[in-house]
Amino acid sequence: MTIKTRFAPSPTGLMHLGNARTALFNALYAYQHQGIFLLRIEDTDLERSCPTFAQHILDDLRWLGLHWQEGPEVSAINSHYYQSQRTSIYAEYYQQLEQLGQVYPCFCSPEELDLSRKLQRTAGQAPRYSGTCAHLSPQEISHKLAQGLQPSLRFKVPKQQLVTFTDVVRGSQTFNTNDIGDFIIRRADHTPAFFFCNAIDDALMGITHVLRGEDHLANTPRQLLILQALNLPIPNYGHIALILSEDGNPLSKRMGSQNLQDLKTQGWLPEGLVNYLARLGHSYQADSYFNLAELSQRFALERLGKAPARFDPQQMQHWQQMAIAKIDETELWAWMGNEVQKLVPTALQTQFITAIRPNVTTPDQASHWARILFTDDLVPQPEAQLILTDTDPEFFKQVLAALEVAQADYTQLVTTLKQTSKRKGKALFMPLRAALTGETHGPEMTHLLPLLGVQRAQHRLQIYVQ
Ligand code: GLU
């Protein structure tokens, strides 16, 4: 059997890390089995869906490296993978359900439904459709239709039955149909309910595994009932635990609910993000940095966690750093952006990259170092300024003298200074770094001094000699 997974986003907004993780797990599982990762755009909610969002989703997935083998822009018929273009297919299945006597029109108004729900809650019952329209006679139905009333279409849920399935993440799941009221599969305005098309399409597209957020678990028994009634194949469902912030609350903006477009603009690298996301609610035996092929080889459904995953910004940083360490020079150069490309002389490009690669996680930080090394206006950071004010000007005279001989050879400069200044450790390195870079931390000075150049170094030191 060919494994076929899918990512089925609703294009009602930009893709964020949670969506990306769902896409990633589905892609990894399909890749692992040389199967098919399918992309389907669930744009039936015409008011909230937007083609621009759909296009962003395609771009974001490609940016992450998650290529789909079936879906928009790769399959022969594009429209096949946009639910808004599949209305006639859904109509067929509504009709089949009608013929099977599995559905009935419901004329209840939103106000009536609301009132009924309120009454049920007050009586301490879980709100579900009370069945008002379940027993309308054909005459009553014709009469209401003749009045111009637009009914929704409800699925008749059998009473006193158990719906059971084995969730590939959470194990055996059982729902009692008595807890599920007859539900709407087509709204009064004729738009289909999301979980109806979603289930029909999974069956028609031959999806074998659905990995999706835990928030969809309650939809699953309803989807099973629909598929069973239509005698359509049922995929394996796996409901992945949601992502929470570190304090256990839903993700806030700051804590990683940012969209991928923003993350990309901020300089996050896709390779780092996938390494992070693959470990968010899924555990790998090794902590090493893996490419997508390696991540997929090691992916296992059994390693998907049932407990909510905690978003950890530090971990995300860690994988970003790993990605920066791995990425090739040309890509890193492009990533660093315009300012770096303008400031750093071409001849020093490789040296600059080697120097700062371990110390930066954003293009802004790269620009910062380019300005320090290749522009004259240096404003020391407050911490560096304190050190400079506290250091005897005599020391800087000694540095200037040592520099005359050592030139850009930092190791030699330090060897000489140890003798002439009698300083060592922090007392030697800190004022030196502070004067030359205006910072108290940063890349190795052995790399920085040759980039800074002897002349610029002399100018910076002279300020502190007087
Ligand atoms: N369109 C649904 C969503 O974006 C898909 C849910 C599912 O994966 O089944 O939430």
Side-chain angles (χ1 to χ4, degrees):
M1 179 187 62
T2 306
I3 299 286
K4 201 166 179 182
T5 63
R6 49 68 162 180
F7 179 50
S10 308
T12 54
L14 291 170
M15 190 148 125
H16 52 73
L17 288 175
N19 310 128
R21 184 187 66 149
T22 303
L24 175 66
F25 286 167
N26 281 286
L28 292 180
Y29 192 57
Y31 298 165
Q32 179 181 54
H33 294 276
Q34 282 84 46
I36 291 172
F37 173 52
L38 177 147
L39 175 63
R40 181 175 72 231
I41 304 294
E42 302 209 321
D43 54 354
T44 48
D45 183 342
L46 295 177
E47 251 166 56
R48 293 177 57 226
S49 298
C50 164
T52 321
F53 288 139
Q55 194 54 51
H56 277 309
I57 292 172
L58 267 59
D59 294 345
D60 289 343
L61 288 173
R62 288 196 173 111
W63 178 67
L64 287 172
L66 304 183
H67 296 282
W68 55 100
Q69 288 72 49
E70 217 185 298
E73 296 181 6
V74 305
S75 295
I77 311 171
N78 226 26
S79 59
H80 199 67
Y81 301 94
Y82 287 82
Q83 286 190 327
S84 58
Q85 311 293 310
R86 296 170 61 79
T87 317
S88 58
I89 298 174
Y90 308 134
E92 242 175 74
Y93 289 95
Y94 285 130
Q95 213 178 7
Q96 274 195 36
L97 288 172
E98 271 161 7
Q99 281 159 2
L100 289 165
Q102 277 288 348
V103 288
Y104 60 86
C106 170
F107 296 89
C108 295
S109 69
E111 295 74 28
E112 286 167 330
L113 294 172
D114 212 33
L115 180 66
S116 154
R117 273 193 291 266
K118 270 189 197 135
L119 291 174
Q120 287 174 332
R121 276 204 201 96
T122 324
Q125 296 161 352
R128 73 183 71 100
Y129 183 60
S130 56
T132 317
C133 292
H135 306 292
L136 293 178
S137 66
Q139 289 77 4
E140 284 170 310
I141 293 174
S142 313
H143 184 66
K144 285 181 188 286
L145 289 174
Q147 285 178 315
L149 292 174
Q150 292 290 334
S152 58
L153 195 64
R154 279 193 192 266
F155 185 90
K156 243 185 239 173
V157 175
K159 296 285 165 274
Q160 303 268 41
Q161 277 186 22
L162 296 180
V163 181
T164 303
F165 74 98
T166 304
D167 188 294
V168 297
V169 179
R170 323 183 86 76
S172 176
Q173 304 287 312
T174 302
F175 296 82
N176 191 323
T177 54
N178 284 0
D179 297 331
I180 310 169
D182 293 348
F183 51 85
I184 294 178
I185 56 172
R186 191 180 63 207
R187 298 186 196 92
D189 64 4
H190 261 70
T191 56
F194 133 75
F195 54 83
F196 178 76
C197 321
N198 178 270
I200 300 287
D201 283 346
D202 283 340
L204 297 184
M205 295 180 181
I207 302 300
T208 60
H209 291 76
V210 170
L211 300 176
R212 62 181 178 186
E214 192 183 16
D215 47 330
H216 288 293
L217 185 58
N219 287 325
T220 310
R222 294 190 281 180
Q223 296 191 302
L224 291 172
L225 289 169
I226 295 169
L227 294 174
Q228 279 161 358
L230 288 165
N231 205 13
L232 287 172
I234 292 171
N236 294 290
Y237 289 99
H239 292 89
I240 318 162
L242 298 181
I243 307 175
L244 297 180
S245 63
E246 281 169 306
D247 56 10
N249 289 317
L251 275 188
S252 69
K253 247 233 148 17
R254 194 175 58 81
M255 298 298 292
S257 67
Q258 296 120 303
N259 64 65
L260 292 198
Q261 296 281 319
D262 284 349
L263 292 170
K264 185 177 172 179
T265 313
Q266 290 159 19
W268 291 91
L269 289 168
E271 298 84 352
L273 287 181
V274 295
N275 266 277
Y276 176 54
L277 293 175
R279 292 168 165 95
L280 197 55
H282 176 276
S283 60
Y284 279 90
Q285 260 158 341
D287 278 339
S288 350
Y289 178 89
F290 293 131
N291 61 28
L292 270 179
E294 292 162 335
L295 284 171
S296 70
Q297 276 156 19
R298 293 163 174 79
F299 182 80
L301 295 178
E302 306 76 58
R303 295 186 150 269
L304 286 167
K306 291 192 199 72
R310 296 284 167 116
F311 180 77
D312 182 347
Q314 272 168 354
Q315 277 295 315
M316 193 157 118
Q317 279 280 348
H318 163 77
W319 292 108
Q320 166 81 348
Q321 226 149 17
M322 299 290 274
I324 289 171
K326 289 277 173 180
I327 190 174
D328 75 39
E329 193 182 309
T330 326
E331 274 180 85
L332 196 58
W333 183 244
W335 172 83
M336 286 179 179
N338 271 341
E339 195 178 5
V340 169
Q341 289 153 18
K342 259 191 244 151
L343 287 175
V344 181
T346 318
L348 296 178
Q349 180 182 321
T350 303
Q351 258 177 285
F352 177 75
I353 289 178
T354 311
I356 72 159
R357 193 195 277 265
N359 292 78
V360 296
T361 50
T362 67
D364 278 353
Q365 292 166 350
S367 294
H368 179 64
W369 282 103
R371 284 194 297 270
I372 289 176
L373 296 169
F374 300 105
T375 68
D376 288 329
D377 31 45
L378 182 77
V379 183
Q381 299 292 321
E383 238 181 290
Q385 189 58 60
L386 275 180
I387 293 170
L388 291 165
T389 323
D390 271 1
T391 307
D392 185 349
E394 191 53 31
F395 172 67
F396 296 110
K397 279 189 197 150
Q398 291 157 347
V399 182
L400 275 168
L403 197 62
E404 278 296 322
V405 184
Q407 295 290 294
D409 184 340
Y410 184 75
T411 315
Q412 198 194 326
L413 179 77
V414 167
T415 313
T416 312
L417 273 177
K418 275 182 185 158
Q419 290 159 6
T420 55
S421 73
K422 305 275 179 284
R423 287 175 183 246
K424 56 181 181 182
K426 266 186 146 188
L428 170 67
F429 296 116
M430 276 305 196
L432 199 50
R433 182 180 277 280
L436 295 178
T437 69
E439 296 281 340
T440 48
H441 302 282
E444 301 266 354
M445 287 300 296
T446 39
H447 292 311
L448 293 186
L449 183 56
L451 288 165
L452 190 65
V454 176
Q455 231 184 7
R456 196 167 265 137
Q458 281 168 337
H459 284 147
R460 288 189 182 169
L461 293 161
Q462 266 147 11
I463 302 172
Y464 305 104
V465 166
Q466 289 93 19

